[in-house]
């Protein structure tokens, strides 16, 4: 549940709503926001690793499953739904 809430928050949806909808007209923006968040996380992790290396410190530890991995099924669903001009509905 926390991972789903994070993804919903990243695309601008109420992350505590028990139900919701993503309209086809919202999907391109949702995809762009989610892809940008994935890139931002990866850049942040890379920067933290480089900083630790430059200080001869142990590499930082991150969650075992990255945002890229967690968001992939939802991104696939967004792309497929956009292509088919179908909304995504949950909790109804």
């Amino acid at each position: 549940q926390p991972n789903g809430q994070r993804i919903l928050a990243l695309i601008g949806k109420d992350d505590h709503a028990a139900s919701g909808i993503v309209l086809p007209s919202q999907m391109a923006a949702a995809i762009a926001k989610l892809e940008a968040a994935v890139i931002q996380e990866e850049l942040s992790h890379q920067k933290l690793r480089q900083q630790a290396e430059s200080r001869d410190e142990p590499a930082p530890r991150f969650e075992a499953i990255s945002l890229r991995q967690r968001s992939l099924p939802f991104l696939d669903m967004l792309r497929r739904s956009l292509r088919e001009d179908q909304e995504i509905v949950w909790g109804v």
Side-chain angles (χ1 to χ4, degrees):
Q1 187 175 2
N3 297 315
Q5 289 175 332
R6 180 178 179 205
I7 289 173
L8 290 175
L10 288 170
I11 66 168
K13 293 294 180 179
D14 182 357
D15 57 335
H16 293 309
S19 62
I21 186 168
V22 180
L23 299 171
S25 62
Q26 300 169 319
M27 291 178 186
I31 291 166
K33 288 177 185 178
L34 203 45
E35 288 175 338
V38 166
I39 291 168
Q40 181 60 40
E41 179 184 81
E42 290 172 347
L43 290 173
S44 173
H45 288 184
Q46 180 182 6
K47 181 179 178 180
L48 292 171
R49 281 191 296 272
Q50 289 172 343
Q51 289 173 343
E53 185 179 321
S54 71
R55 297 182 191 133
D56 283 333
E57 296 173 351
R61 298 178 66 99
F62 305 108
E63 287 188 42
I65 301 174
S66 68
L67 179 60
R68 177 177 296 280
Q69 292 167 303
R70 290 191 192 283
S71 66
L72 187 59
F74 191 66
L75 279 167
D76 288 343
M77 183 170 51
L78 283 167
R79 290 182 184 115
R80 188 173 53 252
S81 296
L82 178 60
R83 203 171 38 250
E84 296 172 8
D85 197 32
Q86 295 293 315
E87 64 273 352
I88 297 172
V89 180
W90 65 95
V92 177

